[in-house]
């Protein structure tokens, strides 16, 4: 796995966690659709990459899954956020905001520099 | 801690693979159905809806493969598969198996016997019992083996020969 894929995996995990936090328990397909919508369809998500990412988050204890019925009465696996997942989300969101704000300073240097 | 948990689950995943596999198949099937339902609603034909859903997923088998890789430890899994394969091969060729085992056993026995002799001879405690009538035959024999092996060892290690 190259560097690019790693970064992508990292951001994907954050998107998944945030989406589940916003929407409550959700199945894989719902998460994928929601991520695309939230990105304003700018992001073309390969739905297949979502499932290994979900498995990884589940193994790390950030999310838990159980079978349930979808809105169309289809059997589907629903993922929900665990307490440690919520904590992880807060931490990662903070880290990400810091990273982007630092980068923003570089990309558009403001005038209040001494 | 989180990493530890993930690895423990991956190791466990190797044992529980079969149930997991079916669950994944169900999950992917549910995904495809929901996606093709949506596609149907947006006015596609049933086949096109299904095909589009699979395309967007990136292929059912490749997803399963990626999932499996994440769920288990591929290295250990391959190792186990290799071991299973080789034991099967050995069982299929008993003649070869026994020849190989006998050769290895003989080789080990011979080396152990020779080096036990050398060790007994090089042992300083053995020098003290020189006067004991322990039989010169064994001593001469062991001296001979010792000389021969030390010559071999010296040529192998490139050291100048040291006479005992």
């Amino acid at each position: 796995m190259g560097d690019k894929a790693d970064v992508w995996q990292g951001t994907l995990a954050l998107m998944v966690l945030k989406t589940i936090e916003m929407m409550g328990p959700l199945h894989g397909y719902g998460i994928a659709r929601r991520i695309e919508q939230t990105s304003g369809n700018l992001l073309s998500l390969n739905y297949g990459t979502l499932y290994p990412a979900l498995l990884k988050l589940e193994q790390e204890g950030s999310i838990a899954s159980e079978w349930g019925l979808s809105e169309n009465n289809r059997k589907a696996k629903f993922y929900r956020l665990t307490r440690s997942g919520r904590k992880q989300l807060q931490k990662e969101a903070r880290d990400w905001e810091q990273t982007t704000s630092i980068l923003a300073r570089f990309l558009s240097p403001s005038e209040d520099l001494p | 801690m989180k990493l530890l948990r993930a690895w423990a689950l991956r190791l466990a995943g190797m044992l529980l693979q079969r149930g997991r596999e079916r669950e994944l198949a169900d999950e992917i099937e549910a995904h495809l159905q929901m996606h093709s339902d949506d596609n149907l609603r947006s006015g596609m034909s049933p086949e096109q809806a299904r095909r589009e859903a699979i395309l967007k997923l990136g292929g059912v088998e490749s997803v399963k493969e990626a999932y499996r890789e994440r769920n288990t430890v591929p290295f250990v899994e391959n190792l186990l598969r290799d071991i299973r394969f080789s034991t099967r091969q050995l069982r299929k060729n008993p003649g070869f198996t026994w020849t190989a085992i006998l050769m290895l056993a003989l080789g080990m026995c011979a080396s152990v016997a020779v080096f036990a002799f050398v060790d007994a001879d090089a042992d300083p405690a053995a020098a003290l019992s020189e006067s004991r009538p322990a039989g010169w035959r064994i001593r001469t024999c062991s001296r001979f083996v010792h000389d021969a092996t030390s010559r071999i060892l010296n040529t192998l290690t490139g050291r100048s020969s040291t006479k005992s």
Side-chain angles (χ1 to χ4, degrees):
Chain A
M1 211 183 271
D3 260 4
K4 243 181 189 164
D6 274 350
V7 173
W8 173 236
Q9 278 277 332
T11 53
L12 181 62
L14 184 53
M15 289 180 209
V16 168
L17 287 177
K18 189 69 194 172
T19 306
I20 300 178
E21 193 205 26
M22 303 263 293
M23 305 289 296
L26 203 59
H27 44 74
Y29 176 62
I31 296 172
R33 280 319 271 262
R34 186 71 201 170
I35 287 177
E36 274 189 343
Q37 278 171 12
T38 313
S39 77
N41 290 323
L42 285 175
L43 218 102
S44 157
L45 180 67
N46 186 347
Y47 291 178
T49 56
L50 191 69
Y51 287 96
L54 282 171
L55 177 64
K56 181 168 179 274
L57 284 172
E58 195 179 356
Q59 283 173 341
E60 288 169 356
S62 303
I63 57 177
S65 69
E66 59 204 351
W67 286 90
L69 284 180
S70 76
E71 54 274 27
N72 306 333
N73 267 344
R74 287 221 188 270
K75 219 176 110 205
K77 203 168 168 189
F78 281 77
Y79 294 89
R80 63 177 169 76
L81 212 58
T82 62
R83 195 181 309 173
S84 92
R86 206 169 291 275
K87 238 180 275 169
Q88 194 198 344
L89 172 61
Q90 279 165 5
K91 185 184 166 296
E92 280 195 23
R94 216 169 32 237
D95 288 354
W96 187 251
E97 266 159 25
Q98 198 176 14
T99 310
T100 46
S101 74
I102 290 170
L103 262 178
R105 278 162 184 262
F106 276 91
L107 294 175
S108 53
S110 58
E111 308 78 40
D112 56 282
L113 279 176
Chain B
M1 194 60 216
K2 222 160 51 182
L3 267 180
L4 204 70
R5 185 194 143 102
W7 274 98
L9 281 173
R10 281 173 88 165
L11 281 174
M14 265 186 343
L15 304 174
L16 307 168
Q17 214 173 358
R18 205 149 297 163
R20 212 45 216 235
E21 199 90 336
R22 199 173 321 119
E23 205 177 320
L24 174 66
D26 285 350
E27 189 174 8
I28 289 178
E29 186 51 41
H31 174 109
L32 287 176
Q33 270 175 5
M34 283 188 277
H35 198 170
S36 27
D37 282 354
D38 277 0
N39 285 346
L40 275 175
R41 263 198 295 280
S42 65
M44 287 186 196
S45 71
E47 291 114 67
Q48 201 189 355
R50 175 97 187 162
R51 208 181 54 229
E52 203 66 22
I54 292 175
L55 258 164
K56 190 77 176 103
L57 189 72
V60 175
E61 275 316 306
S62 70
V63 175
K64 283 187 182 172
E65 190 60 42
Y67 193 91
R68 221 171 282 140
E69 229 158 73
R70 183 67 228 181
N71 193 29
T72 62
V73 192
F75 166 71
V76 179
E77 206 170 48
N78 288 340
L79 192 71
L80 285 178
R81 204 170 300 143
D82 282 349
I83 291 173
R84 265 200 297 269
F85 174 69
S86 45
T87 37
R88 219 167 33 236
Q89 290 289 309
L90 286 176
R91 210 179 306 152
K92 216 173 79 182
N93 284 324
F96 169 78
T97 309
W98 283 112
T99 316
I101 290 175
L102 275 176
M103 293 301 257
L104 287 172
L106 265 175
M108 277 185 241
C109 286
S111 330
V112 167
V114 167
F115 279 97
F117 253 125
V118 173
D119 196 37
D121 192 51
D123 191 10
L128 291 177
S129 58
E130 196 78 27
S131 55
R132 216 177 56 182
W136 57 272
R137 208 185 283 268
I138 291 177
R139 240 185 335 264
T140 352
C141 174
S142 72
R143 170 84 8 101
F144 172 75
V145 172
H146 179 224
D147 285 348
T149 39
S150 58
R151 222 172 297 137
I152 294 169
L153 283 177
N154 283 340
T155 36
L156 280 179
T157 53
R159 265 189 313 180
S160 58
S161 74
T162 46
K163 204 77 184 129
S164 60

